[in-house]
Amino acid sequence: VLRVATAWRLAASGRGLLLHAAAVEDDDEALVLLGPSGAGKTTALRLSSPRPAIADDVVILTAPRDEAGRWLVHPTPLWAEPRLASRSARLSPLPLAGVLRLAQAKRPAVEALSAAAAAACVLAHAPFAAGGPVVAAHVPERLARAVPFATLRFALDAGFWPAVEAWRADSR
């Protein structure tokens, strides 16, 4: 019930989104990991240690109130695996550094997404945004223009972090 109420309220206000995603803290910012069930979100969080996991199933993003502000990632009490070892105790939001769509592969790589592909990716993981109020339609597009998006191809080991760090350096 909490998920549905939060998703509808954010969508109706146009101020943010609830995403089926994971988030990890890196360098006082957050990276959001998108993917359908089974894509490896929780696995990527486990492999990201010692970086703390902010969320493993549901992420709340809020839009900046002005043009100079940044999107924020809010911790939630909605965990698929509450006993995740790297779980953060953080209560305050973090600025969003970027969004990575997960794809399993043999070798790690990060490939930038266009704004259109990024907006489509957000809509695919945002319950109620696509079918919700018309005012919410601009939110995924606004997010896609404001934040770097990429596809993270990763194997089931921590070897993907150097590729992520290189992408972050290039995105700044």
Side-chain angles (χ1 to χ4, degrees):
V1 172
L2 182 58
R3 283 186 212 205
V4 173
T6 301
W8 272 106
R9 180 152 178 126
L10 285 169
S13 72
R15 289 193 42 236
L17 293 166
L18 180 136
L19 295 175
H20 175 230
V24 63
E25 184 175 342
D26 186 41
D27 215 13
D28 294 323
E29 296 180 309
L31 291 169
V32 169
L33 309 173
L34 290 176
S37 295
K41 295 181 295 293
T42 302
T43 300
L45 288 178
R46 282 192 188 103
L47 296 171
S48 296
S49 184
R51 295 165 191 88
I54 300 168
D56 75 336
D57 189 48
V58 176
V59 174
I60 294 174
L61 300 179
T62 55
R65 294 191 184 270
D66 58 47
E67 293 300 318
R70 294 184 64 187
W71 283 80
L72 297 176
V73 177
H74 298 264
T76 74
L78 306 170
W79 287 77
E81 293 195 27
R83 292 186 179 96
L84 190 66
S86 62
R87 183 175 170 178
S88 172
R90 170 176 289 282
L91 298 174
S92 59
L94 281 169
L96 176 59
V99 179
L100 295 165
R101 177 179 64 181
L102 299 181
Q104 293 180 17
K106 292 186 181 193
R107 283 181 281 173
V110 180
E111 301 159 356
L113 288 174
S114 69
C121 189
V122 169
L123 282 170
H125 298 283
F128 311 114
V134 175
V135 71
H138 75 283
V139 176
E141 183 181 329
R142 184 175 169 203
L143 174 62
R145 286 192 319 262
V147 176
F149 275 75
T151 297
L152 168 61
R153 301 194 184 285
F154 77 107
L156 298 178
D157 63 45
F160 63 87
W161 270 104
V164 170
E165 289 165 353
W167 170 72
R168 286 197 64 196
D170 290 345
S171 298
R172 292 181 182 172

